[in-house]
Amino acid sequence: GNSVTQMEGPVTLSEEAFLTINCTYTATGYPSLFWYVQYPGEGLQLLLKATKADDKGSNKGFEATYRKETTSFHLEKGSVQVSDSAVYFCALSPQGGSEKLVFGKGTKLTVNP
Amino acid sequence: EPEVTQTPSHQVTQMGQEVILRCVPISNHLYFYWYRQILGQKVEFLVSFYNNEISEKSEIFDDQFSVERPDGSNFTLKIRSTKLEDSAMYFCASSEGTSASSPLHFGNGTRLTVT
């Protein structure tokens, strides 16, 4: 079946540190891949996406590359800010017209000044 | 910016009672969804709704659950007879197109506590 595994949190970093949150997936065919972010007290919102192999999604300094060979979609940011503190969710949309998103458990990031 | 709104933010109910969770999706969106997250676990898909009918549902979405779009603006999730294991955060979402092509816009969630 389809599933997403992302690194366990919580992750605590100092401002300007480099961030990686690992995400791997299991799916048949070519799913679309997403990172959603949930800031405190808010709903999930789309951060970035990639719809085919080798695509790179980017937004707000965050990047993730769709790696078919390693079934991964790791999230990276070169220099985090306090305002990046949030919960990050990796997700996939299965190929073949399914409407559902399959989410990982979420990784809580705290950035200290 | 338009947003998805959910009410109430927190609902406490006794086991066996019926609850209705309410959502107002973004007005020009066509696809509507409910997800839930049990504490410490993954966000799980419950149901998608398009063109006034359920387009897909998960195995979690059994006969105890139902959805309705009663008046063209609200989108509700009803749980007929709540169980302790229904305690979770319930998220409503909407999108312009399918989830693969259009971003889902989520509400802030309703925390349901069944005692």
Side-chain angles (χ1 to χ4, degrees):
Chain A
N2 300 303
S3 67
V4 173
T5 303
Q6 57 183 108
M7 66 187 282
E8 296 284 332
V11 174
T12 302
L13 295 173
S14 297
E15 210 164 21
E16 299 183 3
F18 183 84
L19 169 71
T20 300
I21 300 178
N22 289 339
C23 171
T24 56
Y25 67 90
T26 302
T28 52
Y30 293 86
S32 295
L33 301 174
F34 307 84
W35 278 99
Y36 277 79
V37 59
Q38 184 181 29
Y39 297 104
E42 300 183 14
L44 284 75
Q45 53 187 274
L46 180 66
L47 179 61
L48 53 84
K49 72 174 187 179
T51 56
K52 60 183 190 294
D54 301 325
D55 264 4
K56 178 186 282 188
S58 61
N59 186 25
K60 300 182 182 180
F62 291 88
E63 292 183 339
T65 301
Y66 189 144
R67 301 280 187 209
K68 181 69 175 170
E69 64 276 12
T70 54
T71 61
S72 65
F73 193 56
H74 304 321
L75 182 68
E76 296 182 335
K77 185 173 185 182
S79 176
V80 293
Q81 305 301 311
V82 172
S83 56
D84 294 325
S85 297
V87 182
Y88 292 83
F89 294 89
C90 185
L92 69 82
S93 176
Q95 185 183 15
S98 171
E99 281 308 311
K100 68 180 181 185
L101 288 179
V102 177
F103 284 90
K105 275 193 180 183
T107 302
K108 183 174 182 180
L109 170 67
T110 301
V111 180
N112 294 318
Chain B
E1 185 178 324
E3 54 184 35
V4 175
T5 55
Q6 290 185 243
T7 55
S9 57
H10 192 186
Q11 173 92 44
V12 181
T13 189
Q14 289 192 323
M15 196 167 52
Q17 296 297 303
E18 174 183 287
V19 293
I20 297 176
L21 308 183
R22 302 182 191 280
C23 170
V24 179
I26 294 173
S27 62
N28 64 333
H29 285 186
L30 301 176
Y31 293 78
F32 313 110
Y33 311 85
W34 284 99
Y35 285 78
R36 76 172 187 190
Q37 185 178 30
I38 296 171
L39 189 63
Q41 299 188 24
K42 296 185 178 186
V43 175
E44 303 171 292
F45 170 80
L46 293 178
V47 66
S48 59
F49 191 86
Y50 171 72
N51 202 25
N52 285 319
E53 60 183 24
I54 290 174
S55 50
E56 189 172 349
K57 60 183 181 179
S58 71
E59 58 275 11
I60 302 168
F61 195 88
D62 61 21
D63 291 344
Q64 296 284 42
F65 291 88
S66 61
V67 290
E68 203 174 39
R69 188 156 161 79
D71 55 13
S73 62
N74 291 284
F75 180 52
T76 61
L77 174 69
K78 182 192 289 186
I79 309 175
R80 261 179 268 286
S81 177
T82 50
K83 309 186 202 54
L84 294 176
E85 55 264 36
D86 294 327
S87 295
M89 181 72 90
Y90 287 79
F91 293 104
C92 174
S94 67
S95 63
E96 290 181 327
T98 64
S99 60
S101 61
S102 302
L104 268 64
H105 294 255
F106 285 82
N108 288 0
T110 293
R111 180 168 297 284
L112 176 65
T113 302
V114 182
T115 62

